Amino acid sequence: MTKEFTGKQLIFISLMLFSMFFGAGNLIFPVFLGQAAGDNMWPSLAGFIVSAVGLPILGVVAIAKAGSFHALNSRVHPLFALIFPFIIYISIGPGLAIPRAGSLAYEMGAAPFLPEGFAGSPAALFIYTLVFFGLVYWLSMSPSKLVDLFGKLLTPIVLALIVIILVKSLITPIGSFELPTGNYGNSPVFQGFLDGYLTMDALAALAFGIVIANTIRAQGVENDKKLSRYMISAGIGAGILLTIIYIILGYLGATSASLGQSENGAQILTNIMGYLFGQSGTLILGIVFTLACFCVSIGLVISCSQFFASAIPKVPYKAWVLILCLTSTAVANLGLTQILTVSVPILGMIYPIAIVLIFLALIHQYIENSSYIYVTTVAFVGLFSILDTINKTFLAEAWSPVLSSMPFYQEGIGWLIPAVIGIVLGIILGKRKTSSVPA
């Protein structure tokens, strides 16, 4: 018989999923939003949570309902199910997210404590990333131990440190909310939504689905319906934790304007920690950043390795772990700026497709008789995203006057109308096919 999960087990699975989502970007974005939004922090944060928490949770739910990421992609086309996951896993894995995590962990967790001349040297970064990804490799070799590592150890440490920072900010008030800047004054909810949208955690949700499913199966759960239910519960639990942390970080950012305006969330956090804890604040912040980056790196290495091992069975899981860790070490030391130049446009291109897939998976029971909807919707959104990426990357936005005529283009979601057109066209084609079948 399939094992029943206890509430305690579900909590640990939720903590594990939270730690896989919660990287350096998740620390930086809400703090910057809080400072920029000021008096409009709450409506801005509400919009942020809808996209930064809502989309990842829906991504986990979509994978749970579809059964697997492969099954979801196969609803579009078998060739799409082969190509699209490879693009996602490479982009959020060794192509960008994993090496970036190692580099950020060095910048925030190690460089401040090294001699000034040595901290900026290539040798220092190489030694650090070699040790960092060496540990990632060691811990990624046993994915079944993720619940114990994340749920029972690393995540509670990160959460405890953030709570300590909040308590200290209440005892030693930083400052008061100030007037909002930029779009946070005119449309705070929508601007917050766009900020959360740019975290791109929905892609991570699709990638982490395989890890969550395998972890739950390793606990003795074999029934597909129970597996789906537990995955959804873990997604909701992780989402609740993310929401709480985002509120804390947004509040800290909103009270920090008196410390001076900063260009990014990392600088804001550095100023906050220096004000609250003095020199020891740098150490605490370094630990939080390092643990967050470490957890995300392990989660990404495991999820990517499990995917590639299933897609290319001739290369075993442990070999993929080694390949990804070595590749990530090399990329982190070869100039992350150049990698970002290539990877960020690719992520921007595939993210709308991922969102559309999540949405279609959630309404699948209503459209499963209209098989064309997946094809037409993904085709229209994909075509728009490709054109937009070419325009921004290679044409210096020469096509922007034409593309900007598309509703919501300036807001960053110009793909919305092509998605609607694709859905409507898919429904029409489905009905024509049904009506043409002889009775």
Side-chain angles (χ1 to χ4, degrees):
M1 293 181 64
T2 298
K3 179 182 177 181
E4 292 286 344
F5 256 32
T6 64
K8 186 177 180 180
Q9 286 176 302
L10 278 176
I11 289 174
F12 285 138
I13 293 288
S14 298
L15 289 171
M16 181 189 82
L17 182 56
F18 163 83
S19 64
M20 292 167 68
F21 277 126
F22 194 70
N26 305 82
L27 278 166
I28 292 170
F29 278 115
V31 173
F32 182 82
L33 176 148
Q35 185 177 91
D39 289 332
N40 285 342
M41 188 270 288
W42 292 112
S44 298
L45 200 57
F48 181 87
I49 289 170
V50 168
S51 56
V53 177
L55 286 177
I57 291 177
L58 293 178
V60 174
V61 173
I63 296 300
K65 290 173 70 70
S68 68
F69 191 27
H70 177 77
L72 175 57
N73 288 310
S74 296
R75 294 172 182 173
V76 181
H77 191 275
L79 185 60
F80 179 85
L82 178 65
I83 297 174
F84 188 63
F86 266 95
I87 296 175
I88 284 186
Y89 279 101
I90 290 173
S91 297
I92 69 170
L96 174 60
I98 300 175
R100 183 178 64 180
S103 179
L104 284 171
Y106 171 75
E107 293 295 335
M108 299 300 296
F113 307 100
L114 297 175
E116 187 173 341
F118 182 63
S121 68
L125 177 61
F126 175 75
I127 293 171
Y128 180 88
T129 52
L130 198 63
V131 174
F132 182 89
F133 287 113
L135 290 172
V136 169
Y137 167 78
W138 176 50
L139 293 171
S140 298
M141 296 298 279
S142 303
S144 60
K145 297 180 180 179
L146 270 185
V147 175
D148 291 332
L149 177 65
F150 285 0
K152 298 180 181 180
L153 180 61
L154 298 182
T155 306
I157 293 174
V158 173
L159 294 176
L161 289 173
I162 293 176
V163 170
I164 289 172
I165 296 170
L166 173 65
V167 172
K168 177 61 176 176
S169 72
L170 296 176
I171 297 174
T172 309
I174 302 172
S176 58
F177 291 14
E178 297 190 3
L179 292 175
T181 60
N183 291 333
Y184 295 100
N186 301 323
S187 51
V189 176
F190 194 74
Q191 183 58 44
F193 178 86
L194 287 179
D195 287 346
Y197 167 84
L198 293 174
T199 63
M200 297 194 175
D201 273 348
L203 287 180
L206 296 177
F208 290 152
I210 186 173
V211 179
I212 300 301
N214 288 341
T215 301
I216 294 176
R217 287 193 184 100
Q219 303 291 318
V221 177
E222 299 175 358
N223 182 275
D224 288 340
K225 289 186 177 179
K226 288 185 178 180
L227 175 64
S228 176
R229 187 172 80 243
Y230 293 147
M231 286 182 66
I232 293 172
S233 298
I236 293 173
I240 292 172
L241 273 176
L242 283 170
T243 300
I244 294 171
I245 298 303
Y246 287 153
I247 290 174
I248 293 174
L249 293 173
Y251 169 80
L252 290 172
T255 61
S256 69
S258 61
L259 302 179
Q261 296 294 321
S262 302
E263 295 181 359
N264 56 62
Q267 292 180 1
I268 295 172
L269 278 172
T270 300
N271 293 338
I272 290 173
M273 296 301 290
Y275 176 83
L276 292 176
F277 298 98
Q279 292 184 344
S280 60
T282 305
L283 176 61
I284 297 173
L285 185 60
I287 293 173
V288 173
F289 261 92
T290 301
L291 288 177
C293 291
F294 192 58
C295 290
V296 166
S297 296
I298 294 172
L300 286 171
V301 166
I302 289 176
S303 60
C304 290
S305 298
Q306 289 182 345
F307 167 75
F308 288 126
S310 62
I312 309 175
K314 291 185 178 180
V315 182
Y317 168 81
K318 292 185 177 181
W320 280 114
V321 172
L322 179 61
I323 292 170
L324 292 176
C325 288
L326 290 176
T327 303
S328 298
T329 303
V331 171
N333 284 272
L334 288 177
L336 204 52
T337 301
Q338 295 181 354
I339 301 300
L340 288 172
T341 303
V342 176
S343 300
V344 170
I346 294 175
L347 287 172
M349 179 177 66
I350 63 179
Y351 201 68
I353 300 174
I355 293 177
V356 165
L357 279 174
I358 291 171
F359 173 74
L360 294 177
L362 297 176
I363 63 169
H364 181 72
Q365 65 188 88
Y366 305 106
I367 63 172
E368 57 183 331
N369 294 325
S370 302
S371 58
Y372 288 103
I373 290 181
Y374 281 91
V375 179
T376 54
T377 307
V378 168
F380 273 81
V381 172
L383 178 61
F384 175 84
S385 297
I386 291 172
L387 293 175
D388 190 34
T389 300
I390 292 173
N391 174 52
K392 292 178 178 178
T393 306
F394 302 107
L395 301 179
E397 302 199 20
W399 293 347
S400 291
V402 176
L403 292 174
S404 61
S405 63
M406 187 79 68
F408 306 112
Y409 180 78
Q410 297 293 344
E411 289 78 12
I413 50 174
W415 52 267
L416 190 60
I417 299 303
V420 173
I421 294 173
I423 291 174
V424 172
L425 181 60
I427 293 173
I428 293 173
L429 291 175
K431 288 184 177 180
R432 287 187 62 181
K433 179 182 178 180
T434 302
S435 61
S436 65
V437 176

